[in-house]
């Protein structure tokens, strides 16, 4: 059974989903940091 | 605690690499499926992690709703204690034991009930008021990520083994998809609703959504499905070396999920604090000009 490509596909898909989610967390963190900085400037 | 995060992140990364090595090179090849079966080392731990996160979401949501009044909080505590006692004793009653599916031991049911009861009180001790809601949204979001992996890796495994990507009407597959949809709608509700009662509504949705978790888990015990039988208990069997690697993989994914939840929890707390600060600043801006107008009037009367 030539199924090794399915195994690789599943592992790659798993880490792709995790990477996308971690990327979204990093993006949200940096946006929030900017928001906090702007709040500080406002004072 | 914040200093511990990078150290834990490095340790978790090493653990994940070790689990990856075990899954690809150490675990024996399956005689029937060949190497493609190794997908279970990502598929099954992701499913277990998603179930655990949805369960924590359920407990946090229950406590958030129950803590609205001291009387309901007390009643909920006694109900959980009662469920714990019944769940611990009932599996050992012969009539109940007969009803348990093959491979499900009374001791494992009793232990699970004790763990669930303990988890309720542990969460209640360390998370209070808004922290319960933050915990609920955190576990729902990370749970959806793990559930998405289950829904993606499952069909990738099914294609070479079953010959089809998806078995329409299969209760395990359909209930998992419904579970994913429920928690996606939970996150959409939280993201787009401006109502003051969003948190309560989301908590109610989470409580109903969690009812699907046992349906997903036990569907392969009670119904005939295309999906393979449980790998632990339930009449299924697995080579001890494969089981060992599966448990290592699950532990690695649990550590990873813990770190991701930690980050998401902190992000949500910071976001709420920033929102509060912003609201306070707006209030001060509104209040400042009016006091500036009033001051001369007050000063002039003196």
């Amino acid at each position: 059974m030539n199924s090794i490509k399915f195994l690789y596909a599943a592992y790659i898909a798993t880490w792709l989903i995790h990477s996308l989610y971690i990327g979204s967390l990093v993006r949200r963190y940096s946006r929030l940091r900017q928001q906090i900085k702007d709040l500080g400037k406002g004072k | 605690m914040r200093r511990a995060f990078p150290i834990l992140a490095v340790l978790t990364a090493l653990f994940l690499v070790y689990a990856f090595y075990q899954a690809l090179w150490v675990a024996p090849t399956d005689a029937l499926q060949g190497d493609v079966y190794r997908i279970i080392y990502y598929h099954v731990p992701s499913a277990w992690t998603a179930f655990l996160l949805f369960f924590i979401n359920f407990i946090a949501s229950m406590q958030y709703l129950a803590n609205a009044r001291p009387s309901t909080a007390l009643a909920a505590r006694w109900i959980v204690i009662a469920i714990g006692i019944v769940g611990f004793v009932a599996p050992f009653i012969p009539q109940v034991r007969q009803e348990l599916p093959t491979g499900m031991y009374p001791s494992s049911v009793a232990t699970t009930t004790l763990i669930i009861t303990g988890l309720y009180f542990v969460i209640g001790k360390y998370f209070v008021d808004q922290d319960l809601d933050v915990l609920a949204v955190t576990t729902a979001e990370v749970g959806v990520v793990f559930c998405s992996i289950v829904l993606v890796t499952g069909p990738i495994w099914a294609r070479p083994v079953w010959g089809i990507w998806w078995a329409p009407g299969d209760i395990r597959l359909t209930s998992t998809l419904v579970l994913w949809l429920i928690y996606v709608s939970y996150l959409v509700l939280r993201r787009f609703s401006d109502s003051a009662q969003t948190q309560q509504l989301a908590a109610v949705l989470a409580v109903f959504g969690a009812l699907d978790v046992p349906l997903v888990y036990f569907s392969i015990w009670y119904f005939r499905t295309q999906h393979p039988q449980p790998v632990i208990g339930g009449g299924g069997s697995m080579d001890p070396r494969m089981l060992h690697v599966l448990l290592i993989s699950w532990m690695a994914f649990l550590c990873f999920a813990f770190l991701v939840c930690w980050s998401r929890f902190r992000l949500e707390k910071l976001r709420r604090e920033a929102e509060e600060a912003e609201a306070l600043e707006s209030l001060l801006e509104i209040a400042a000009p009016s006091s500036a107008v009033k001051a001369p009037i007050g000063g002039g009367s003196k």
Side-chain angles (χ1 to χ4, degrees):
Chain A
M1 198 187 293
N2 181 25
S3 53
I4 201 82
K5 61 184 178 187
F6 289 97
L7 175 66
Y8 291 144
Y11 277 37
I12 289 167
T14 299
W15 286 111
L16 192 68
I17 292 169
H18 280 312
S19 306
L20 286 174
Y21 182 62
I22 290 169
S24 91
L25 280 184
V26 170
R27 212 169 46 245
R28 278 187 272 177
Y29 255 115
S30 56
R31 208 184 301 153
L32 190 63
R33 218 170 282 143
Q34 186 61 43
Q35 197 181 334
I36 292 168
K37 212 184 275 178
D38 291 346
L39 267 173
K41 277 180 192 169
K43 282 176 189 172
Chain B
M1 278 296 271
R2 217 176 283 176
R3 280 182 193 170
F5 189 87
I7 300 164
L8 288 176
V10 171
L11 289 176
T12 302
L14 289 173
F15 197 9
L16 283 166
V17 169
Y18 177 67
F20 179 76
Y21 164 75
Q22 289 275 327
L24 281 188
W25 288 284
V26 177
T29 306
D30 187 82
L32 290 173
Q33 297 179 33
D35 281 323
V36 77
Y37 98 95
R38 293 176 199 275
I39 290 175
I40 68 156
Y41 297 122
Y42 273 31
H43 177 80
V44 175
S46 297
W48 289 347
T49 309
F51 291 156
L52 180 69
L53 291 170
F54 290 148
F55 188 72
I56 294 172
N57 169 276
F58 168 70
I59 291 179
S61 301
M62 280 282 286
Q63 293 213 355
Y64 183 75
L65 290 171
N67 288 357
R69 287 183 203 156
S71 57
T72 51
L74 187 68
R77 240 170 271 154
W78 281 109
I79 289 169
V80 170
I81 290 171
I83 291 171
I85 292 168
V86 170
F88 187 76
V89 175
F92 296 101
I93 299 168
Q95 287 88 342
V96 178
R97 193 189 290 192
Q98 283 172 1
E99 297 299 318
L100 295 177
T102 319
M104 192 187 279
Y105 303 108
S107 56
S108 57
V109 177
T111 313
T112 309
T113 313
L114 270 189
I115 291 169
I116 290 169
T117 312
L119 200 60
Y120 183 89
F121 287 102
V122 167
I123 288 173
K125 184 172 165 55
Y126 292 103
F127 297 88
V128 283
D129 301 330
Q130 285 301 309
D131 279 1
L132 282 169
D133 188 56
V134 176
L135 179 68
V137 72
T138 299
T139 47
E141 199 174 287
V142 182
V144 163
V145 173
F146 277 93
C147 198
S148 304
I149 288 164
V150 174
L151 286 170
V152 169
T153 54
I156 293 174
W157 170 83
R159 182 67 186 85
V161 177
W162 294 346
I164 48 171
W165 294 100
W166 188 266
D170 184 281
I171 190 158
R172 170 50 85 86
L173 275 58
T174 310
S175 56
T176 309
L177 180 63
V178 169
L179 184 71
W180 183 82
L181 287 170
I182 289 170
Y183 281 95
V184 167
S185 57
Y186 170 92
L187 295 175
V188 170
L189 171 73
R190 299 203 68 123
R191 174 72 182 80
F192 295 106
S193 171
D194 287 331
S195 165
Q197 288 186 316
T198 302
Q199 293 174 351
Q200 283 88 344
L201 287 172
V204 172
L205 178 62
V207 170
F208 282 108
L211 296 177
D212 194 32
V213 173
L215 178 67
V216 175
Y217 187 75
F218 291 110
S219 58
I220 49 174
W221 298 64
Y222 288 104
F223 300 96
R224 284 183 69 86
T225 68
Q226 181 95 6
H227 192 280
Q229 288 302 296
V231 286
I232 298 177
S237 62
M238 197 178 199
D239 184 292
R241 289 168 299 168
M242 291 178 179
L243 187 62
H244 176 74
V245 176
L246 185 68
L247 293 177
I248 285 175
S249 199
W250 188 38
M251 287 299 124
F253 273 104
L254 272 184
C255 293
F256 178 67
F258 172 75
L259 285 182
V260 175
C261 283
W262 185 350
S263 303
R264 182 64 184 91
F265 187 88
R266 226 181 116 229
L267 175 71
E268 186 64 20
K269 289 268 282 183
L270 274 175
R271 192 188 67 78
R272 290 182 186 204
E273 280 170 19
E275 251 176 27
E276 277 172 22
E278 216 166 37
L280 193 68
E281 202 181 56
S282 308
L283 273 175
L284 286 173
E285 272 173 22
I286 294 165
S290 56
S291 59
V293 172
K294 277 178 187 170
I297 298 167
S301 66
K302 277 178 186 173

